[in-house]
């Protein structure tokens, strides 16, 4: 059975990085963008990294320009932006596509490993996200496609995807999920 350890990604400097280096550690994988309404979530990701890294958590950021062209610069620009503006110390990787024919194989795996649970119609932020996706990226509204920037996948210490958090998921729900895999 496949795990994230079967994949390689690329660092912002172009160096290949095999994910088996994180074997035995829980991982939070997030697609990011520097010009998105959810960009302040870099603060949340860094807080989670600071809070749990001594217990093994690794956070990985993947800049993506597929959603309303909200990551227009280079991989290095994205990395510098999040370090300068949000004090991000977790690793950022090269820009990738997360949906479509050119999606990175890691994201093909993540999307297939755990289903999109739908938009919570009782949550105004989820309703607004659904409307934004319907307007800006309707091809990704249905199915397991990544809906927008700052979709997060929680991976357990065995490399299995255990939870998907949408851009509107609360810090509390992410923290609870992380606690379960530590």
């Amino acid at each position: 059975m496949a795990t994230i350890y079967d994949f390689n990604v690329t660092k912002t400097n172009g160096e290949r990085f095999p994910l088996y280096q994180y074997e035995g550690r829980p991982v939070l994988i997030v697609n990011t963008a520097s010009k998105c309404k959810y960009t302040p979530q870099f603060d949340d990701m860094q807080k989670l990294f600071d809070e749990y890294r001594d217990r093994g958590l690794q956070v990985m950021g993947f800049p993506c320009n597929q959603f309303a062209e909200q990551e227009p610069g280079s991989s290095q620009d994205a990395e510098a932006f999040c370090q300068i503006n949000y004090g991000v110390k977790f690793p950022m990787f090269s820009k990738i596509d997360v949906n479509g024919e050119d999606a990175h194989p890691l994201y093909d795996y993540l999307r297939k490993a755990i289903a999109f649970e739908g938009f919570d119609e009782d949550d105004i932020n989820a309703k607004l996200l659904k409307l934004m996706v319907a307007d800006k990226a309707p091809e990704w509204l249905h199915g397991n496609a990544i809906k927008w920037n700052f979709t997060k996948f929680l991976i357990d210490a065995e490399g299995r995807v255990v939870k998907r958090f949408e851009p509107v998921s609360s810090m509390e729900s992410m923290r609870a999920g992380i606690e379960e895999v530590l």
Side-chain angles (χ1 to χ4, degrees):
M1 175 178 239
T3 70
I4 67 160
Y5 307 137
D6 298 321
F7 298 94
N8 296 302
V9 294
T10 305
K11 293 181 176 183
T12 56
N13 65 5
E15 182 182 325
R16 183 177 156 269
F17 185 86
L19 293 183
Y20 69 76
Q21 292 185 51
Y22 290 146
E23 195 166 349
R25 299 174 68 180
V27 180
L28 189 65
I29 298 173
V30 56
N31 63 303
T32 67
S34 57
K35 299 186 182 311
C36 177
K37 75 179 265 172
Y38 300 115
T39 300
Q41 288 188 23
F42 275 121
D43 275 337
D44 294 339
M45 299 299 97
Q46 185 59 46
K47 285 176 187 170
L48 290 170
F49 183 59
D50 289 343
E51 184 174 345
Y52 293 108
R53 75 173 144 199
D54 288 345
R55 293 174 62 192
L57 179 70
Q58 183 59 57
V59 177
M60 302 173 69
F62 290 91
C64 178
N65 196 41
Q66 285 190 289
F67 303 97
E69 299 180 356
Q70 295 178 338
E71 190 58 79
S74 68
S75 299
Q76 294 83 3
D77 293 339
E79 180 179 50
F81 172 86
C82 67
Q83 289 173 347
I84 291 166
N85 292 288
Y86 293 96
V88 167
K89 297 196 178 16
F90 57 82
M92 295 293 293
F93 293 84
S94 289
K95 267 174 79 168
I96 61 170
D97 283 353
V98 298
N99 288 325
E101 288 182 17
D102 295 327
H104 191 282
L106 172 64
Y107 268 83
D108 281 338
Y109 168 74
L110 294 171
R111 285 192 327 271
K112 291 173 184 168
I114 195 160
F116 171 66
E117 294 180 2
F119 295 98
D120 180 355
E121 296 296 328
D122 294 328
D123 180 332
I124 186 65
N125 291 317
K127 283 183 178 180
L128 292 172
L129 174 61
K130 182 179 180 180
L131 289 171
M132 185 170 59
V133 174
D135 180 49
K136 306 283 186 193
E139 67 274 24
W140 297 322
L141 187 59
H142 302 289
N144 289 334
I146 306 302
K147 305 306 177 202
W148 209 257
N149 300 307
F150 292 91
T151 299
K152 299 146 204 90
F153 291 89
L154 182 61
I155 315 302
D156 69 12
E158 284 78 43
R160 297 177 304 230
V161 184
V162 294
K163 186 78 175 145
R164 176 176 171 158
F165 299 101
E166 299 306 320
V168 295
S169 296
S170 70
M171 273 284 283
E172 294 78 31
S173 67
M174 288 185 283
R175 188 173 277 114
I178 291 167
E179 287 284 346
E180 288 178 18
V181 299
L182 288 175

